[in-house]
Amino acid sequence: MKILNSILILLFPFLTSHAQHFKFAHVTDTHIGSKTGAEDLRRTIKDINQNNEIQFIIISGDITEFGSDEELTLAKQILDSLHNPYYLVPGNHDTNWSESGGNSFRKIFGDETFYFIHDGYRFAGTNSGPNMRMGPGQIPRENLVWMDSILAIDPELPLIYVNHYPQDSSLNNWYESIDRLKKHDIRLMLCGHGHINESYDFEGIPGVMGRSNLRAEQETGGYNIVTISSEEATCQERTPDSITHKPWHSVKLHNHHFDQSPNGYPRPDYSINRKYSAVKQAWIFEDKSDVGAGMAYAKNKIVSGNTNGEVYAINAKSGKKLWQFKTKGKIYSTPAVWKNTVVVGSSDNYIYGIDLKSGSLKWKIETQKAVLGSPSIEKGIAYIGGSDGTFRAIRVTDGDVLWTFEGLKGYLSAKPTVYNNIVYFGTWGNEFYALDISTGEKKWEWHNGATSRMLSPAACYPVATNGRIFIVAPDRYMTALDAENGELIWRKQLDDYRVRESIGLSTDSLLIYAKTMDGQLIGISTTAPDMEIAWQSTLRLPYELAPTAIVESNNNILVPSHSGLLSAVGRQSGKVIWQYKISNCLINPLLPIKRNKLVVSTMDGKIVSLKY
């Protein structure tokens, strides 16, 4: 009996560590910057502070409306009035339209992930993306690497995981997180995004989506109080300054032993890569971070950048890394090369000139905010815009700024187009600009008439030909403007062909290729007086959002997708010639390097060389 009592005494702390009773608040989708976001959050925080039973607060993303520095600063100010600790992750509204490329979220809140232990439970949260490119959500590669290390700590404790998105195919790489979590005692997942209270089953893992904190059509907003006991988690909606409603959902908390069960759930299918003999992979390079931009090619080197702030060169023949240069931000700017100098922007507020041969710094230019736009180089002059409302012309040889144009409405995130001595670009302020490349003088400016900046013509690469500028935007309009004076030639929205942000020019300049949201590939006449569909492909992709430009090379029309599938279509036949799946994540700007060679990167850090 003494031995038994001794064993029970020794086991008692472990047995009771999983039997604690505690409550926390689940707040989500606060959307600071929207009409009532700040007021609704202040009301919720006041209510939480008056509840002595709530021990901490989980905030599962979409903290702000657009991820702007102003909105993030205000959100931090409001959240800091909480009396108890709070833990938060960004959502798509914090990262997809962020003027800082997500850098400010990390600076203001300390990180984009969290991990802590409370009363015998581990809590872990990660970013969900999409980061700076429209598409399904995607947990950043560096967050997955972080999960591998952080979940190795205290592996015997049960786990509750937090992400903004539901852990299903609304995330491109949902399986990456689920497969990791199932190696542990995962009990519950919490998310936001849908703005409603909803229960889920994520491949056997119980999931809970919380309502938005916004009031919407009601008089006040709301949040959830989650009670954790030894055997279950209970969710109750709370209306601030009013009532705590009856539990709307409860989850049995137990060890599912997923590590002992076979995974019978679907995963991305790569069998398409065995179907077409016309395309083969020469090499693959896998980054440990996301790759959120395109690449440059010069002197047998592929130059890329990643969201860990690294710019690096890869041998174009072997795929081996040659050198690496580290910035202090994230790279969403596609590098460009002039002679022996790489020009690239970083979210650390600098534009860099890097030696192509050695990777050493040649010059750098400080700006007031992140530089997410990509440079276009014409006759040794780099044209690039930033988030500080300034567009710059930079002499590549020495980094001398030749001229600036200030006062842009919204920030730049795409690559400008140079045509007939004018540089063209859109911003996330619903504006489109044309500047003289010699002086920086504004030639003209066009506004799309939208009130929401989410509809800005800012993500597409403008196409210039036959005296016209063609652009597309999330408002599903294609617009043709006079290149010289900006006058509207035509602007059209077709219900059966919902164009978005992905276009490109045919090699004979007769067609503007456009990918629709329904996965169609069409060709629009570059000379017709109206939006005339002059060509159409048999290609049919699933629902499509990727803003990446379409490229014609070697008689192949190369069509990127948000699910890592690259399609090659014949110009004459309109039929699919070949397809190749690189990953399950968004394809970045394409890089044809020779007549039958192509380098492609995907957002999850894969870079492949293809021969076709």
Side-chain angles (χ1 to χ4, degrees):
M1 182 63 70
K2 289 183 179 180
I3 294 174
L4 179 60
N5 287 338
S6 298
I7 292 173
L8 289 173
I9 290 171
L10 289 171
L11 287 176
F12 183 76
F14 177 78
L15 292 172
T16 56
S17 67
H18 292 187
Q20 302 298 324
H21 182 94
F22 61 90
K23 293 185 178 183
F24 64 89
H26 179 204
V27 182
T28 190
D29 295 86
T30 55
H31 290 275
I32 299 301
S34 64
K35 184 177 180 181
T36 66
E39 182 182 349
D40 291 342
L41 182 56
R42 288 190 179 100
R43 185 177 294 175
T44 287
I45 287 176
K46 180 181 178 182
D47 190 72
I48 290 173
N49 285 340
Q50 293 172 347
N51 189 335
N52 294 327
E53 292 186 314
I54 294 176
Q55 299 181 28
F56 59 90
I57 299 89
I58 296 287
I59 309 164
S60 58
D62 276 5
I63 315 302
T64 64
E65 185 72 354
F66 289 106
S68 71
D69 292 356
E70 181 182 2
E71 291 171 349
L72 289 166
T73 300
L74 176 59
K76 178 71 159 57
Q77 178 186 2
I78 297 172
L79 288 169
D80 281 351
S81 63
L82 282 163
H83 294 169
N84 288 329
Y86 66 89
Y87 307 90
L88 78 177
V89 291
N92 57 302
H93 277 257
D94 304 309
T95 59
N96 190 49
W97 296 281
S98 167
E99 64 179 341
S100 70
N103 228 34
S104 291
F105 192 97
R106 295 191 300 181
K107 285 182 178 179
I108 291 170
F109 291 110
D111 211 332
E112 62 185 20
T113 60
F114 68 76
Y115 177 83
F116 67 96
I117 297 174
H118 186 89
D119 276 0
Y121 272 88
R122 294 183 291 169
F123 288 79
T126 62
N127 186 356
S128 66
N131 292 300
M132 303 310 302
R133 301 285 187 272
M134 175 53 71
Q138 180 200 315
I139 301 171
R141 184 71 190 162
E142 56 267 34
N143 282 194
L144 295 171
V145 173
W146 173 84
M147 284 177 70
D148 290 336
S149 61
I150 205 71
L151 295 183
I153 303 172
D154 305 301
E156 75 283 354
L157 296 181
L159 174 65
I160 295 176
Y161 175 68
V162 181
N163 192 270
H164 179 62
Y165 272 72
Q167 299 300 288
D168 54 26
S169 58
S170 57
L171 278 166
N172 268 339
N173 59 348
W174 81 96
Y175 56 93
E176 294 259 29
S177 63
I178 284 185
D179 288 352
R180 283 168 167 82
L181 294 169
K182 283 189 171 182
K183 295 176 182 178
H184 299 266
D185 182 9
I186 177 70
R187 303 284 178 94
L188 178 65
M189 290 184 179
L190 299 176
C191 68
H193 192 59
H195 287 216
I196 60 172
N197 291 326
E198 188 70 65
S199 62
Y200 284 89
D201 181 321
F202 299 126
E203 298 189 6
I205 305 173
V208 170
M209 175 187 286
R211 60 151 295 166
S212 168
N213 190 65
L214 295 175
R215 70 185 70 175
E217 302 299 323
Q218 305 301 316
E219 293 183 2
T220 185
Y223 63 100
N224 275 281
I225 296 175
V226 182
T227 302
I228 302 294
S229 67
S230 60
E231 296 183 349
E232 68 178 1
T234 303
C235 303
Q236 295 174 271
E237 183 176 334
R238 170 69 183 173
T239 302
D241 303 321
S242 182
I243 60 170
T244 301
H245 301 269
K246 293 180 179 180
W248 64 268
H249 186 58
S250 63
V251 174
K252 296 297 180 183
L253 298 176
H254 61 88
N255 191 339
H256 297 269
H257 298 288
F258 291 116
D259 57 336
Q260 301 173 17
S261 303
N263 182 19
Y265 295 95
R267 292 292 180 261
D269 182 6
Y270 291 85
S271 61
I272 192 75
N273 294 347
R274 299 190 297 272
K275 180 178 180 180
Y276 296 98
S277 60
V279 59
K280 293 186 181 300
Q281 178 181 295
W283 53 257
I284 182 169
F285 175 89
E286 297 194 51
D287 204 312
K288 292 183 178 179
S289 300
D290 276 7
V291 172
M295 300 159 288
Y297 172 71
K299 299 181 179 179
N300 198 39
K301 295 179 177 68
I302 307 296
V303 183
S304 183
N306 64 24
T307 53
N308 195 38
E310 297 159 349
V311 182
Y312 52 87
I314 298 171
N315 185 292
K317 291 182 179 179
S318 66
K320 303 297 183 183
K321 184 184 284 189
L322 301 173
W323 55 255
Q324 178 177 295
F325 177 87
K326 186 75 166 67
T327 76
K328 295 181 180 179
K330 298 183 178 186
I331 305 296
Y332 288 109
S333 172
T334 296
V337 177
W338 172 259
K339 294 186 177 179
N340 199 45
T341 302
V342 178
V343 180
V344 66
S346 172
S347 68
D348 66 0
N349 302 4
Y350 280 93
I351 301 167
Y352 292 91
I354 302 167
D355 187 87
L356 175 65
K357 185 177 181 180
S358 65
S360 59
L361 179 67
K362 300 181 78 169
W363 51 260
K364 66 178 181 178
I365 298 167
E366 185 174 9
T367 71
Q368 297 304 305
K369 287 190 175 184
V371 182
L372 310 175
S374 302
S376 287
I377 300 180
E378 188 81 8
K379 298 179 180 179
I381 309 299
Y383 302 94
I384 184 170
S387 296
D388 58 356
T390 302
F391 193 89
R392 296 169 173 85
I394 304 165
R395 189 164 56 216
V396 176
T397 52
D398 57 8
D400 187 28
V401 178
L402 303 180
W403 56 256
T404 62
F405 180 85
E406 300 177 356
L408 298 175
K409 299 171 186 174
Y411 69 93
L412 270 79
S413 65
K415 182 178 180 178
T417 295
V418 178
Y419 175 70
N420 289 348
N421 296 316
I422 299 176
V423 58
Y424 303 90
F425 56 90
T427 67
W428 287 103
N430 293 308
E431 303 290 335
F432 191 81
Y433 294 86
L435 308 180
D436 186 286
I437 65 168
S438 299
T439 64
E441 178 185 354
K442 183 170 70 174
K443 300 282 288 185
W444 51 264
E445 178 182 347
W446 178 81
H447 189 284
N448 67 0
T451 56
S452 171
R453 52 183 164 175
M454 291 182 186
L455 303 179
S456 299
C460 79
Y461 286 10
V463 174
T465 189
N466 293 325
R468 299 178 176 186
I469 301 295
F470 297 88
I471 54 176
V472 284
D475 59 8
R476 304 170 191 176
Y477 278 91
M478 179 177 276
T479 304
L481 303 170
D482 186 286
E484 183 62 29
N485 56 34
E487 290 185 3
L488 182 66
I489 298 173
W490 54 258
R491 174 171 165 80
K492 207 158 193 178
Q493 184 187 65
L494 301 175
D495 291 338
D496 293 333
Y497 299 95
R498 301 185 300 162
V499 297
R500 192 174 170 103
E501 293 160 308
S502 180
I503 57 175
L505 181 64
S506 65
T507 52
D508 59 12
S509 297
L510 295 178
L511 296 175
I512 301 296
Y513 298 123
K515 182 183 62 179
T516 73
M517 294 174 64
D518 300 302
Q520 304 146 304
L521 176 65
I522 58 176
I524 307 300
S525 171
T526 60
T527 57
D530 202 350
M531 185 178 177
E532 177 186 304
I533 299 176
W535 177 92
Q536 190 162 355
S537 166
T538 60
L539 177 68
R540 290 294 182 273
L541 298 172
Y543 180 72
E544 247 304 306
L545 291 174
T548 307
I550 298 164
V551 176
E552 184 174 352
S553 178
N554 192 25
N555 297 317
N556 285 232
I557 305 166
L558 304 172
V559 186
S561 74
H562 68 223
S563 59
L565 179 69
L566 180 64
S567 301
V569 174
R571 166 63 186 277
Q572 299 303 320
S573 67
K575 295 180 180 180
V576 175
I577 301 173
W578 55 261
Q579 291 182 305
Y580 194 88
K581 188 171 177 64
I582 296 106
S583 81
N584 208 53
C585 295
L586 184 144
I587 293 178
N588 293 312
L590 305 170
L591 182 64
I593 59 174
K594 292 184 179 179
R595 179 173 172 79
N596 66 334
K597 291 185 179 180
L598 172 72
V599 181
V600 189
S601 70
T602 51
M603 186 70 87
D604 58 346
K606 291 183 174 63
I607 302 175
V608 299
S609 173
L610 299 178
K611 294 181 179 180
Y612 63 95

